[in-house]
Amino acid sequence: MDLSHPVEVVKGVGEQTLKKLNKLGIYTVEDLLYHFPRSYEDRSKIIKISQIEYNKTNTILAKINTLPQNIKRGKKIITKVNLRDDSGSIFAVWFGQPYLKKQFKLNDTYIFTGKVTYKYGQIQIESPDYEKIVDDKDIFTKRIIPIYPSTYKLSQKVIRQIIYNALVETQNQLIEFLPLWIRKKYKLADYNYAIHNIHFPESEDSFLISRKRLVFEELFLLQTGLMSIKNKIGKNKKAIKFKEIKELDDFIKSLPFELTNAQKRVFNEIKQDMINDKIMNRLVQGDVGSGKTIIAALALFLAVKNGYQGVMMAPTEVLATQHYKGLTPLLEKFNIKTGLLTGSLTKKQKENILNQIKNGDIDIVFGTHALIQEKVSFKSLGLVITDEQHRFGVRQRNMLSEKGNNPDVLVMTATPIPRTLALILYGDLDISIIDELPPGRKNIDTYAVNSSYRHRIYQFIKKELINGRQAYVICPMVEEAEEENLKSVISYTEELQKEFKGYKVSYLHGKMKPKEKQKIMNDFSEGKIQILVSTTVIEVGVNVPNATIMLIENAERFGLAQLHQLRGRVGRGEFKSYCILITDSKNKVTIERMKIMKKTNNGFKISETDLKIRGPGEFFGTRQHGLPDLKIANLYKDIPILKKAQEASEIILSIDPNLDKEEHKFLKEKINKFFEEKIKNISL
Ligand code: ADP
Ligand code: MG
């Protein structure tokens, strides 16, 4: 059986099961085998009833000795059944589940796991988990068995059986794709062994050995795939050598504020890259509001005064326009001509701009994806900047660079990626970090409340509006969807219009036309709109210093990094600002996230913690960056393995840069499969 076969070839997968498996994202045999357990239950430790330990969790294999009885005790119904094995007998009791009475038949055998107590003069196992055993030789008794994460209405028993069947049918047939020297050097288990033992470990050791192999494998595939794309970019090319320009100091002096030390340091790093003969490939990481835009302006200034053109691409029209409008007045004073290219220009306007870019009349172009979609050609492009890089793909950045003759490249992101992930994503980029906010910024007070507080919150917002401030309200969806509790932008706006009579409440969402969006944003930033109800389109970069309230509905819907980005829209001016998170969720992870948001305003700390509390596949960064999901590696715990995987990738690519050698054939196939279509969209 081939791993690429559809999962329905596995014994036990009928039509109904197939549908459910598909819901879990399982389509092939490989998907099934890579559906790893969340935890394990150690049934190798089944004991005799005579060996039971009180006040501890015990697992026994026993027969139903008496038919279950429902007994009333006060208002509670207790279901009680006697169990026996060849060493003795014990009662099992459940509370408030009278239907269990019909569950058990005389002499059927079950495994029970639960806490054993001695009460009312008898030994009892309380509310035990139970699973029926068809016969004593059942493969799943007396061993460590897997517990799967999401099962989408498939019982653990069914999914366990199916995976077991797939393992039997593929036994020792999985083709090892890791070269032998790698397995030897890093002491990694064989592929077949690892896959089998991650599901049905023979012992704790065999689990650990298998996990290590699979974590390594995952990180190695990821790393090798990424490095091989990077290696194809910008190798052995000659860069522009920019010269230092005196006028730059005048430009810096002309700015409305003094640069922070962090800004000075980071710009210096950029300048050094620009004046040497290597192609700059630098990532500027800085928390929301740390002042990245002005750094971009300085670099663009330097490029233009060296006789080159510069381009700055932003992920949304709102943001591109904001950059254009914000920086043009500063640059104009130094005879620098700017332009804006977005999708919503008329044909004529577009042609006009394109011409000016081509003949060099425009020195700096701001814009959106239109910069790569339209037939833009530059006279002499020397510097390419992408803002909010995590919203772009590596390919898009390259398409922009290719419009120049090896221009220097600067990428900026407000996603404070933890070092571990930065290691993966930006392995060969130089990184500059702006670790300081401009002076005078006040901490944003953050509250997390449930919806019963909504009325009080409205009162609070009213106070701010009376003082002339503005508010953002974020909802997860555009239109009322099947999920009733989700506040939707349009209907919620109507509600708020009634609540806030005399104020202007408008909405903004991603499905609106760019022109409409722009109009709303302009009105909001000019204070014509007091409350802006929005989806997360507002998340990146928008700067309205007069807004002091960020209210987020259904906060459980958003990842920590996203919440932090949203919060960064306020606290941008002189006024004290507030972020209010509304959620009725009692989910542990949600509660944990809300706590972190309350505790810190530091983006790096937030993303580190996010990494800790989330499972490997859920990690915000990987999905957001368009990377394949990680199924087993944990980027927090598995850093030592990550380092080894990186080392191995480097070695293998130095021997065989395109993995064309025969012995790397399967590895190459595996990498391609691992990345699938995603490779195009990876954001580096
Ligand atoms: P981000 O890093 O999130 O892109 P911006 O570049 O939009 O941040 O800057 C946020 C705000 O801080 C802007 O209003 C900008 O003018 C202001 N700003 C930037 N640098 C400084 C500074 N050194 N001193 C004071 N204000 C600054
Ligand atoms: Mg920005």
Side-chain angles (χ1 to χ4, degrees), residues 256-261 263 286-295 319 322-323 387-388 412-414 434 437-439 441 541-543 545 568-569 572-573:
F257 43 72
E258 167 129 18
L259 295 179
T260 63
N261 284 328
Q263 282 171 320
D287 211 343
V288 279
S290 61
K292 292 183 293 295
T293 317
I294 205 66
I295 299 213
L319 194 53
Q322 182 181 291
H323 288 333
D387 192 19
E388 306 295 349
M412 309 205 296
T413 179
I434 311 181
L437 294 180
R441 289 283 163 77
V542 172
N543 190 30
R569 299 305 108 221
R572 306 195 133 228

Side-chain angles (χ1 to χ4, degrees), residues 479-598:
E479 272 141 76
E480 209 77 76
E482 64 279 12
E483 288 153 283
E484 283 164 22
N485 291 324
L486 294 176
K487 287 275 166 196
S488 88
V489 171
I490 296 169
S491 63
Y492 195 31
T493 303
E494 287 163 9
E495 247 177 74
L496 291 177
Q497 278 162 348
K498 285 182 206 140
E499 179 72 35
F500 292 88
K501 287 228 164 71
Y503 293 104
K504 178 129 179 150
V505 185
S506 300
Y507 62 78
L508 186 70
H509 61 72
K511 289 187 186 151
M512 285 161 68
K513 293 214 176 78
K515 272 221 164 111
E516 292 176 279
K517 276 193 259 184
Q518 197 56 54
K519 168 98 176 61
I520 297 279
M521 264 332 288
N522 284 346
D523 286 356
F524 187 66
S525 77
E526 286 166 17
K528 291 180 191 157
I529 294 170
Q530 281 76 45
I531 300 181
L532 183 62
V533 185
S534 171
T535 56
T536 52
V537 290
I538 211 77
E539 176 198 335
V540 291
V542 172
N543 190 30
V544 180
N546 191 49
T548 54
I549 291 190
M550 169 59 66
L551 173 67
I552 302 174
E553 294 280 354
N554 297 103
E556 73 280 359
R557 279 276 158 152
F558 302 95
L560 265 182
Q562 217 177 5
L563 289 174
H564 181 65
Q565 290 264 328
L566 287 167
R567 177 168 61 185
R569 299 305 108 221
V570 295
R572 306 195 133 228
E574 57 194 294
F575 310 109
K576 171 95 197 143
S577 295
Y578 308 87
C579 173
I580 302 156
L581 308 164
I582 300 189
T583 176
D584 289 328
S585 162
K586 295 192 174 65
N587 179 290
K588 257 197 202 154
V589 173
T590 303
I591 293 168
E592 191 66 20
R593 281 198 199 136
M594 299 301 131
K595 263 196 207 151
I596 297 159
M597 288 297 292
K598 284 194 279 186

Side-chain angles (χ1 to χ4, degrees), residues 15-241:
E15 206 176 310
Q16 287 308 313
T17 312
L18 178 65
K19 274 189 198 149
K20 292 174 187 168
L21 288 173
N22 289 350
K23 289 254 190 255
L24 289 172
I26 297 170
Y27 295 92
T28 64
V29 176
E30 179 162 15
D31 296 337
L32 185 65
L33 293 184
Y34 276 77
H35 189 67
F36 296 137
R38 154 169 63 81
S39 61
Y40 301 85
E41 191 177 302
D42 192 353
R43 288 189 182 168
S44 61
K45 299 205 179 92
I46 290 179
I47 52 164
K48 295 282 181 196
I49 291 176
S50 62
Q51 297 167 326
I52 259 169
E53 290 183 71
Y54 294 130
N55 300 319
K56 282 206 174 127
T57 298
N58 292 264
T59 299
I60 56 171
L61 180 71
K63 278 188 173 9
I64 305 297
N65 203 22
T66 60
L67 280 174
Q69 279 182 295
N70 281 343
I71 305 162
K72 264 196 152 169
R73 192 175 294 158
K75 280 184 182 167
K76 270 192 208 157
I77 290 181
I78 297 172
T79 308
K80 192 169 166 186
V81 58
N82 191 262
L83 315 172
R84 75 177 141 78
D85 67 9
D86 56 14
S87 76
S89 74
I90 186 172
F91 282 99
V93 292
W94 291 268
F95 307 95
Q97 294 169 267
Y99 52 85
L100 285 179
K101 189 177 170 186
K102 297 217 173 82
Q103 180 75 41
F104 302 104
K105 301 214 165 54
L106 271 185
N107 290 322
D108 277 355
T109 305
Y110 282 82
I111 286 187
F112 295 92
T113 304
K115 194 173 153 190
V116 176
T117 56
Y118 185 75
K119 277 184 188 161
Y120 312 110
Q122 68 191 29
I123 310 168
Q124 58 187 41
I125 183 163
E126 292 184 0
S127 308
D129 289 336
Y130 53 89
E131 186 171 317
K132 193 171 171 182
I133 301 300
V134 179
D135 69 87
D136 286 13
K137 290 179 207 81
D138 189 301
I139 43 173
F140 301 126
T141 51
K142 301 184 187 177
R143 66 180 307 156
I144 301 172
I145 60 151
I147 312 286
Y148 291 95
S150 42
T151 52
Y152 202 83
K153 292 178 187 160
L154 284 168
S155 70
Q156 288 290 342
K157 207 174 161 177
V158 168
I159 197 159
R160 190 191 305 144
Q161 185 67 54
I162 294 170
I163 289 178
Y164 188 84
N165 294 346
L167 286 168
V168 171
E169 288 166 50
T170 56
Q171 193 150 38
N172 297 325
Q173 291 174 42
L174 305 182
I175 300 169
E176 178 62 82
F177 55 90
L178 286 181
L180 186 62
W181 68 264
I182 288 187
R183 277 178 41 218
K184 277 199 167 147
K185 185 171 160 86
Y186 300 103
K187 301 194 172 63
L188 302 172
D190 162 77
Y191 190 27
N192 281 283
Y193 178 89
I195 288 284
H196 194 95
N197 278 277
I198 200 69
H199 291 286
F200 294 97
E202 282 153 23
S203 64
E204 191 174 337
D205 269 353
S206 64
F207 159 72
L208 291 172
I209 293 166
S210 302
R211 185 180 183 278
K212 179 181 165 195
R213 143 86 204 211
L214 293 168
V215 168
F216 182 96
E217 161 188 322
E218 186 163 64
L219 295 171
F220 177 72
L221 293 175
L222 181 69
Q223 193 64 31
T224 311
L226 287 174
M227 299 239 296
S228 61
I229 317 172
K230 283 175 183 167
N231 287 346
K232 289 182 191 130
I233 303 166
K235 269 273 163 79
N236 311 321
K237 286 184 193 157
K238 259 187 114 175
I240 304 162
K241 266 177 99 161

Side-chain angles (χ1 to χ4, degrees), residues 278-388:
K278 208 186 85 198
I279 297 181
M280 171 166 73
N281 237 327
R282 185 171 288 275
L283 170 78
V284 175
Q285 234 182 310
D287 211 343
V288 279
S290 61
K292 292 183 293 295
T293 317
I294 205 66
I295 299 213
L298 297 179
L300 288 165
F301 186 96
L302 187 60
V304 171
K305 292 297 172 186
N306 269 279
Y308 290 91
Q309 289 168 299
V311 60
M312 180 162 177
M313 183 163 71
T316 66
E317 184 145 357
V318 167
L319 194 53
T321 311
Q322 182 181 291
H323 288 333
Y324 169 71
K325 286 194 171 164
L327 296 181
T328 300
L330 304 176
L331 294 162
E332 262 174 1
K333 289 187 213 159
F334 293 83
N335 287 323
I336 292 176
K337 182 113 198 308
T338 59
L340 176 66
L341 184 72
T342 64
S344 65
L345 298 181
T346 62
K347 214 173 158 206
K348 217 157 175 204
Q349 289 171 317
K350 222 176 264 171
E351 265 169 27
N352 192 13
I353 293 261
L354 289 177
N355 267 333
Q356 288 178 286
I357 298 172
K358 198 170 178 178
N359 64 26
D361 285 349
I362 287 182
D363 301 307
I364 299 173
V365 199
F366 298 93
T368 55
H369 294 81
L371 289 165
I372 42 183
Q373 283 151 5
E374 305 289 338
K375 291 202 173 75
V376 185
S377 64
F378 290 82
K379 190 170 177 214
S380 60
L381 180 60
L383 177 65
V384 168
I385 302 181
T386 49
D387 192 19
E388 306 295 349

